[in-house]
């Protein structure tokens, strides 16, 4: 997709992709921070590598979409990237909490040609 102006860049859809394996304890706070963004993500995906805890349930109950992925962070990230429709991907560790304006800052950075 060719973009011709910074206004088009500032309107890009952002997907958050979270690789996970047995992250039921970390995910609630992480997903809460993602869903409280001042600029919402178009998609929130948890790429699960076969968790045996309640990772899947925690993710879906928060509103995230869960997809099965092979074990290994790269495999999970690639699976998430393939499964999204968004122009911008933000990969996030399952125990990382975004500031409330993080996605707005991403869009602002992409809109600034300098």
């Amino acid at each position: 997709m060719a973009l011709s102006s910074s206004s088009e860049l500032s309107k890009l859809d952002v997907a958050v992709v979270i690789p996970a394996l047995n992250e039921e304890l970390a995910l609630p706070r992480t997903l809460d921070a993602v869903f409280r963004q001042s600029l919402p993500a178009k998609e929130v995906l948890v790429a699960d590598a076969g968790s045996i805890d309640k990772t899947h349930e925690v993710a879906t109950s928060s509103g995230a979409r869960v997809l099965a992925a092979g074990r290994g962070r790269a495999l999970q990230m690639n699976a998430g990237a393939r499964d999204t429709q968004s122009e911008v991907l933000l990969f996030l560790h399952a125990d990382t909490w975004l500031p409330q304006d993080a996605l707005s800052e991403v869009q602002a950075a992409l809109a600034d040609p300098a």
Side-chain angles (χ1 to χ4, degrees):
M1 169 170 80
L3 299 171
S4 59
S5 72
S6 63
S7 65
E8 286 176 308
L9 283 169
S10 68
K11 296 177 184 174
L12 290 175
D13 293 325
V14 178
V16 177
V17 178
I18 304 170
L21 178 62
N22 297 323
E23 296 288 357
E24 72 173 299
L25 298 178
L27 272 178
R29 186 169 176 191
T30 299
L31 290 168
D32 183 60
V34 169
F35 284 109
R36 289 181 181 263
Q37 290 295 300
S38 57
L39 175 71
K42 178 181 180 186
E43 302 172 89
V44 179
L45 299 127
V46 173
D48 185 31
S51 296
I52 58 172
D53 65 358
K54 294 184 179 175
T55 294
H56 189 278
E57 292 88 345
V58 168
T60 56
S61 70
S62 75
R65 188 160 44 96
V66 178
L67 58 128
R71 277 197 178 200
R73 193 170 315 277
L75 293 173
Q76 292 167 273
M77 292 168 69
N78 287 333
R82 277 191 303 272
D83 205 64
T84 184
Q85 300 299 311
S86 299
E87 297 96 345
V88 178
L89 304 177
L90 187 143
F91 295 99
L92 188 64
H93 285 257
D95 61 355
T96 303
W97 309 302
L98 292 176
Q100 188 172 5
D101 61 345
L103 298 183
S104 294
E105 293 295 325
V106 167
Q107 287 208 348
L110 290 173
D112 183 3

